Amino acid sequence: MRSRYTAFTQKNWEYLVLTSHPEEKKEMARLGPDLIEEDVVWKRLEITGTRAGGQADSEGQVDFVAYYTREDAEQTLRESSRFYKVNGRWVYSRKDSTLPPVPSSPQKRPKTFVRDEAKVGRNDPCPCGSGKKHKKCCG
């Protein structure tokens, strides 16, 4: 997984084809350099989860977020990549991997609401002046 990310950062499409599943190599070779986008600058890779993929396993899955910039805009790519062990080597399966939908721009945190006055409690006298508890009057 990390070696494929490095191949993307170095724009090494031959390695991406080489580490693809045998059934998908022809398609990957046909795509060739189109796999690499010239205006993308990869920033970092964050592995968010793994399933199987140990030494004794024949398949595994890696969930990740890759951070990059394109045209000076920060963006992310989230994927759940599927890998299979073929002849003792791990290969990537494009058809079995999924790209969950994500917003194209980073999510902004909502601003914290700040009150000008103290909050009226449910059992406090109602601010309307009725003399009743707030919860029985305007609350």
Side-chain angles (χ1 to χ4, degrees):
M1 170 66 223
R2 292 182 198 275
S3 67
R4 287 183 59 83
Y5 172 77
T6 301
F8 271 103
T9 64
Q10 296 175 348
K11 302 182 183 341
N12 183 353
W13 70 269
E14 291 96 352
Y15 183 81
L16 296 172
V17 173
L18 182 69
T19 57
S20 296
H21 195 281
E23 295 174 2
E24 301 172 24
K25 278 190 182 185
K26 284 184 183 177
E27 179 189 351
M28 294 293 277
R30 183 182 54 78
L31 291 172
D34 293 336
L35 291 171
I36 307 289
E37 297 181 49
E38 291 300 322
D39 62 339
V40 170
V41 178
W42 296 96
K43 297 296 186 182
R44 68 185 171 101
L45 176 69
E46 180 182 317
I47 305 294
T48 58
T50 58
R51 286 180 290 291
Q55 200 167 15
D57 296 321
S58 61
E59 60 184 65
Q61 192 163 338
V62 178
D63 302 329
F64 69 91
V65 181
Y67 297 86
Y68 65 97
T69 57
R70 176 188 288 152
E71 298 173 2
D72 296 325
E74 297 283 329
Q75 298 186 24
T76 59
L77 167 72
R78 295 177 190 271
E79 184 174 318
S80 184
S81 296
R82 192 72 137 157
F83 292 87
Y84 296 95
K85 194 182 285 186
V86 177
N87 297 328
R89 296 187 59 107
W90 287 102
V91 293
Y92 169 75
S93 174
R94 185 175 184 188
K95 68 176 180 137
D96 292 338
S97 298
T98 57
L99 295 165
V102 290
S104 59
S105 62
Q107 291 183 339
K108 295 179 183 175
R109 291 186 176 176
K111 287 191 173 187
T112 304
F113 178 78
V114 180
R115 297 181 190 280
D116 295 333
E117 315 174 340
K119 183 177 176 181
V120 179
R122 290 175 39 88
N123 290 321
D124 292 342
C126 190
C128 74
S130 67
K132 296 180 182 180
K133 289 185 178 181
H134 181 63
K135 67 182 177 184
K136 295 283 188 178
C137 187
C138 297

